[in-house]
Amino acid sequence: GAGVSQSPRYKVAKRGQDVALRCDPISGHVSLFWYQQALGQGPEFLTYFQNEAQLDKSGLPSDRFFAERPEGSVSTLKIQRTQQEDSAVYLCASSPPRWETQYFGPGTRLLVL
Amino acid sequence: RKEVEQDPGPFNVPEGATVAFNCTYSNSASQSFFWYRQDCRKEPKLLMSVYSSGNEDGRFTAQLNRASQYISLLIRDSKLSDSATYLCVVTRLGGFKTIFGAGTRLFVKA
């Protein structure tokens, strides 16, 4: 079956623009995670959804970052008024019920100029 | 201090060598432990889960010492294809907040 997909794969934004990053998890996966990965670092946890409920958003770096998963499947990570420090790879991962292995999408590479 | 710390690397080893990676975590409430592998410009993929009893998968052996809050990964008979970044991963109690180490880069050379 299909894995986790993310779009766009690459995004260049001017500082101050809003961006929206999409994640399509594996069908039937209850859990969905967003991470931010800077160059040379490990992924940093941003937020977690269980179905449509956002159970943890403690990793979102500022109130410019917002995530939603309204129907418990596709998720969108929105960054408002992008800053240069937002440049990173944004990874989405999903996992099935009662299973901790996370399956990652290919990521969206965001460059803010 | 980061919650999950790994050997900084990089490790440069010849084919056939045995290499060991270490990882420490600071939150004693951590629940589950994993090693993920990440190839250059690719997404992380699960390599193996880590248990207190230790577990082995072919050339790979992982160990967890809860008392010392220490995790290890041993790779025997290294192959060129093992060249990657190895990420130590810990989940908090409740199972969803997931903390990654910065990763250790491995280069296996012919």
Side-chain angles (χ1 to χ4, degrees), chain A residues 51-66:
Chain A
N51 296 304
E52 69 280 0
Q54 189 174 20
L55 298 187
D56 189 329
K57 55 181 181 179
S58 62
L60 296 176
S62 76
D63 59 7
R64 297 186 295 104
F65 286 71
F66 172 77

Side-chain angles (χ1 to χ4, degrees), chain B residues 2-62:
Chain B
K2 291 199 168 187
E3 188 167 337
V4 176
E5 301 222 45
Q6 296 186 237
D7 287 341
F11 284 55
N12 292 285
V13 303
E15 271 187 296
T18 296
V19 59
F21 300 140
N22 302 317
C23 171
T24 58
Y25 61 96
S26 60
N27 190 329
S28 59
S30 298
Q31 174 174 293
S32 303
F33 309 88
F34 307 89
W35 285 100
Y36 275 71
R37 170 193 169 128
Q38 187 171 27
D39 292 292
C40 190
R41 299 180 70 82
K42 298 286 190 181
E43 70 273 21
K45 292 185 179 176
L46 178 69
L47 180 65
M48 57 200 308
S49 302
V50 189
Y51 308 111
S52 297
S53 55
N55 53 309
E56 188 172 316
D57 182 3
R59 299 181 293 107
F60 298 82
T61 302

Side-chain angles (χ1 to χ4, degrees), chain B residues 81-100:
Chain B
S81 57
D82 295 334
S83 297
T85 296
Y86 290 83
L87 297 159
C88 177
V89 183
V90 170
T91 63
R92 298 256 186 91
L93 195 63
F96 48 82
K97 182 142 188 180
T98 309
I99 311 298
F100 282 74

Side-chain angles (χ1 to χ4, degrees), chain A residues 31-94:
Chain A
S31 299
L32 187 145
F33 304 78
W34 282 99
Y35 296 89
Q36 180 190 61
Q37 186 170 25
L39 194 62
Q41 298 298 314
E44 295 275 349
F45 173 88
L46 294 177
T47 188
Y48 165 77
F49 289 87
Q50 189 172 89
N51 296 304
E52 69 280 0
Q54 189 174 20
L55 298 187
D56 189 329
K57 55 181 181 179
S58 62
L60 296 176
S62 76
D63 59 7
R64 297 186 295 104
F65 286 71
F66 172 77
E68 60 183 4
R69 194 186 184 196
E71 297 177 359
S73 55
V74 170
S75 177
T76 304
L77 176 67
K78 296 179 180 178
I79 309 173
Q80 296 177 322
R81 305 181 302 282
T82 51
Q83 305 291 318
Q84 285 186 318
E85 63 262 29
D86 299 335
S87 297
V89 177
Y90 290 85
L91 293 162
C92 174
S94 69

